[in-house]
Amino acid sequence: LGMAAPAALQRSVVSPAGRHTASLIFLHGSGDTGQGARAWIKQILNQDMAFQHIKVIYPTAPARPYTPMKGAFSNVWFDRYKICNDVPEHIESIDSMCQGLTDLINDEVKNGIAKNRIVIGGFSMGGGMAMHLAYRFHQDLAGVFALSSFLNKDSAVYQALQRNESALPELFQCHGTADELVLYSWGEETNKMLKSLGVSASLHTFPNLNHELNRTEIEKLKSWIVKKLPVEAPKAN
């Protein structure tokens, strides 16, 4: 039997207060949902992360067997052999999810939003997924963010960038020094590698922050997003 087209990803959406001229796609960490990530950020900020002109989309990863959980089903963007930066990537599952997320990007484009008016990123595994999606398949996006995330040592992202000539989306990275799940050094190494391959990347360090988000970080992220996706001046007739 032929593979059925992947079902559209479920998503939780925060609509812009005014005219929609840009979009932000936020990918949750492993085992979470779009709704969960949105609620988590809402709890930290005491309100939704919302903008005048930017639509915020929180998709949910489909459930799949996840090797680090002994094959139990979990909402993860891709599988991993283990949570470690020196094992091979599970490229098959990464690539199939890049297809589902490309459909999501294309939905925004169909709504009249240009690719250079879309930012994609996420927390933990979501940030890793966003880096694959942007740097391998969508180098014309406005920007990428990765919070407490990393890429494996011989990542397909690095391989793609070695052959790359074009301008690349800027990367905004944040990482806590006390992270015990995704080590700070893995995030730092990812940042150095991407920089060496021509990505304009910043790394914001949060002392004593474990594998979590905090308010300062989200406020910094919001400022960066508005810098990448400024309000468009109304077109003169």
Side-chain angles (χ1 to χ4, degrees):
L1 282 175
M3 287 289 286
L9 297 169
Q10 283 185 308
R11 50 195 90 163
S12 178
V13 174
V14 182
S15 297
R19 192 168 72 92
H20 174 208
T21 65
S23 296
L24 164 66
I25 300 169
F26 189 107
L27 306 178
H28 63 73
S30 58
D32 201 356
T33 61
Q35 228 96 23
R38 176 182 174 176
W40 189 22
I41 289 175
K42 193 172 180 172
Q43 184 197 342
I44 294 170
L45 295 176
N46 294 317
Q47 58 182 11
D48 265 316
M49 178 164 68
F51 302 89
Q52 189 61 33
H53 60 297
I54 306 169
K55 173 171 150 188
V56 186
I57 306 164
Y58 295 95
T60 296
R64 60 159 300 133
Y66 188 45
T67 303
M69 285 170 54
K70 298 185 170 50
F73 271 71
S74 186
N75 292 89
V76 289
W77 298 110
F78 50 85
D79 199 7
R80 314 184 199 265
Y81 297 105
K82 59 179 190 178
I83 300 170
C84 180
N85 74 340
D86 58 6
V87 294
E89 288 175 323
H90 196 286
I91 202 71
E92 207 181 329
S93 61
I94 292 173
D95 286 359
S96 91
M97 189 48 63
C98 281
Q99 190 46 61
L101 288 164
T102 292
D103 292 345
L104 183 64
I105 291 172
N106 289 341
D107 282 351
E108 291 311 292
V109 174
K110 279 179 204 132
N111 287 333
I113 305 301
K115 293 273 287 289
N116 67 0
R117 296 285 293 164
I118 300 173
V119 159
I120 185 159
F123 174 72
S124 193
M125 172 185 263
M129 186 74 234
M131 291 187 278
H132 274 273
L133 190 64
Y135 293 121
R136 293 176 56 214
F137 301 104
H138 297 282
Q139 297 182 348
D140 46 356
L141 290 169
V144 188
F145 62 91
L147 316 173
S148 313
S149 309
F150 73 103
L151 290 170
N152 296 22
K153 280 188 194 298
D154 60 350
S155 176
V157 173
Y158 303 150
Q159 291 162 33
L161 292 178
Q162 268 155 2
R163 301 186 293 274
N164 177 67
E165 303 288 287
S166 62
L168 296 164
E170 185 185 324
L171 175 69
F172 177 93
Q173 233 183 312
C174 294
H175 216 113
T177 58
D179 196 326
E180 286 160 9
L181 186 67
V182 174
L183 303 186
Y184 176 77
S185 60
W186 302 352
E188 197 176 34
E189 193 174 309
T190 299
N191 189 271
K192 284 193 180 121
M193 273 301 292
L194 289 171
K195 270 192 178 139
S196 74
L197 292 164
V199 176
S200 164
S202 57
L203 175 59
H204 303 266
T205 303
F206 292 83
N208 309 321
L209 185 68
N210 203 317
H211 195 65
E212 57 197 351
L213 295 171
N214 73 13
R215 187 168 182 144
T216 317
E217 178 181 14
I218 297 170
E219 296 290 4
K220 267 192 178 173
L221 173 64
K222 279 186 73 172
S223 309
W224 178 81
I225 288 165
V226 174
K227 202 175 74 193
K228 292 280 110 191
L229 302 173
V231 177
E232 285 183 333
K235 290 181 180 68
N237 292 338

